[in-house]
Amino acid sequence: MSKSIKYFALFGLVFILCVVGIFVCHYSRVRVLSEAETKSLLDRHLDKRYLAMPAEYAGFVWENEKYVLVVFKCGPDRPDSLCLKIVGDVAVNYNLSGDMPEQYDSGCSEHKITVEDITGDNVPEFVYYSHCQSADGSHCWKDWKILNLAKKEIIKGSIGGTTGIYPTSKTFWSNNIDRYPQVKDYLLSQIAIKQAQEQAQTPKYPYQVLEDYWYKHNGIECSVLREPCKVKLLWVEYPGFQEFFGSRSIHSEDSFGKYKIMAIFKGPVFLVDQESRKIALIYMPESSFVFCQVKFCYSDYIMFNCKSRIFFYDIASQTLSPL
């Protein structure tokens, strides 16, 4: 082997070792603290009045400096969330621009703190995620707050809206989101992941096929029903109540001849042809807080009383009409 080849191989080996050394050195600067380590730091540095209060916390070491985030549970005399920077035996409040995270007392199915490098600047961020619902169940939201320690800023992204038959959903961003494209991409990916997980966990029953058909072909216009509406129907096989509706229950029902009408609790109104064993959705309220009482007036004429609004459905013409 010639000297030039030997020198080239030796140079390549040294270069690789240097790159590996830099990689190891860089990542050794960041270490996520265990729960016990973080709790020990709080015991030493947190105001004694707050130590007994329920809280979530997490911490990490970066370049020999320790950072701890404490989010207190909502309640009387709850202090604001704290981000502490600890150097040696000295702890100072690491003030950031923006709204600090809040832990809610109830209505939250999930809330957690993670440590991630989202911005790609090799400085870790605290990420606080919460998934909460209002006390009456009418609204829910998923909220992420990114504590960017390098810029001393908090970036927020959330998605929320109403629940029920016609749910609404809207995404909200903090004013500084455009300065952090990596953070926005991260939040959009997290939102997509959460939505996919929820869809995968939601049990699918045959009645949902009819609901989807209503959304597409009749929509909110026929639900609000300010004027007569010709309803497009989809008739499907009806194997039986539990097989079709699962755990849902009947709020009101009536029968006449071969037909049976059923208003589902917090849900739509269905018409069953008992001879052909088929079922169709004939009315979808605009809200899950609208309950309908149903009654046959004649063999093919049905009266609805939905939250003090009265209207009729004509089976022959497939038409809903307000009174």
Side-chain angles (χ1 to χ4, degrees):
M1 183 182 293
S2 66
K3 287 185 177 180
S4 60
I5 295 176
K6 288 181 179 179
Y7 286 137
F8 182 78
L10 181 61
F11 175 80
L13 178 61
V14 171
F15 176 78
I16 291 172
L17 291 175
C18 287
V19 170
V20 171
I22 292 171
F23 180 86
V24 172
C25 178
H26 165 68
Y27 279 95
S28 65
R29 294 186 305 173
V30 178
R31 182 174 67 86
V32 178
L33 297 173
S34 68
E35 182 178 350
E37 289 176 301
T38 308
K39 183 64 167 61
S40 176
L41 287 172
L42 293 178
D43 288 342
R44 293 203 305 269
H45 298 290
L46 194 63
D47 191 310
K48 304 305 178 188
R49 296 173 297 169
Y50 303 147
L51 287 176
M53 291 184 173
E56 295 174 276
Y57 46 82
F60 63 88
V61 181
W62 179 65
E63 292 191 335
N64 298 318
E65 297 175 346
K66 299 181 179 70
Y67 296 84
V68 177
L69 174 63
V70 188
V71 183
F72 294 96
K73 191 172 184 179
C74 186
D77 302 320
R78 174 188 62 83
D80 294 333
S81 302
L82 294 172
C83 184
L84 299 176
K85 176 180 177 180
I86 302 168
V87 182
D89 289 329
V90 179
V92 295
N93 193 8
Y94 196 78
N95 293 314
L96 296 102
S97 174
D99 295 329
M100 290 289 283
E102 292 182 349
Q103 180 184 335
Y104 295 91
D105 189 22
S106 61
C108 292
S109 58
E110 187 180 1
H111 34 78
K112 63 181 180 180
I113 306 171
T114 56
V115 177
E116 305 178 49
D117 179 12
I118 298 171
T119 56
D121 58 2
N122 300 323
V123 183
E125 286 88 36
F126 282 118
V127 180
Y128 186 81
Y129 167 72
S130 60
H131 180 188
C132 303
Q133 186 167 292
S134 61
D136 61 3
S138 61
H139 293 76
C140 66
W141 62 93
K142 302 173 186 67
D143 186 84
W144 289 262
K145 287 192 175 179
I146 316 297
L147 278 67
N148 186 336
L149 302 184
K151 301 292 185 180
K152 289 194 171 185
E153 275 195 297
I154 298 174
I155 309 106
K156 177 183 177 180
S158 63
I159 182 169
T162 60
T163 60
I165 292 174
Y166 282 101
T168 62
S169 182
K170 186 176 180 181
T171 306
F172 304 90
W173 309 106
S174 55
N175 293 332
N176 57 357
I177 189 68
D178 291 335
R179 296 203 301 273
Y180 298 96
Q182 303 100 319
V183 174
K184 189 170 185 178
D185 289 343
Y186 167 85
L187 292 173
L188 287 171
S189 69
Q190 292 299 305
I191 289 171
I193 289 169
K194 292 296 182 183
Q195 289 176 328
Q197 289 174 343
E198 287 183 352
Q199 291 173 359
Q201 293 169 0
T202 303
K204 299 295 182 182
Y205 292 101
Y207 75 85
Q208 292 174 313
V209 174
L210 297 185
E211 289 188 349
D212 291 342
Y213 186 87
W214 178 281
Y215 295 140
K216 184 176 181 180
H217 295 90
N218 299 306
I220 190 67
E221 292 81 8
C222 286
S223 292
V224 174
L225 200 65
R226 292 191 174 94
E227 57 186 28
C229 179
K230 176 81 171 181
V231 179
K232 296 179 178 66
L233 295 184
L234 174 65
W235 289 93
V236 299
E237 297 294 331
Y238 182 61
F241 188 86
Q242 293 301 326
E243 295 87 345
F244 199 80
F245 292 101
S247 61
R248 303 194 79 174
S249 61
I250 296 174
H251 177 70
S252 173
E253 63 180 327
D254 195 18
S255 299
F256 196 110
K258 70 172 187 174
Y259 289 113
K260 180 178 182 178
I261 187 78
M262 297 185 299
I264 303 302
F265 179 72
K266 287 190 174 182
V269 178
F270 294 86
L271 183 66
V272 178
D273 186 327
Q274 300 181 103
E275 290 182 358
S276 64
R277 299 295 298 171
K278 289 193 173 184
I279 186 170
L281 193 159
I282 65 171
Y283 178 64
M284 174 82 79
E286 69 270 25
S287 166
S288 59
F289 294 94
V290 175
F291 306 141
C292 293
Q293 296 288 336
V294 293
K295 185 175 181 60
F296 276 93
C297 297
Y298 306 102
S299 61
D300 58 357
Y301 210 60
I302 305 164
M303 183 178 74
F304 295 38
N305 186 343
C306 303
K307 203 175 181 180
S308 301
R309 287 189 63 216
I310 297 176
F311 46 94
F312 299 90
Y313 180 74
D314 186 340
I315 296 176
S317 66
Q318 299 178 9
T319 302
L320 282 166
S321 302
L323 183 63

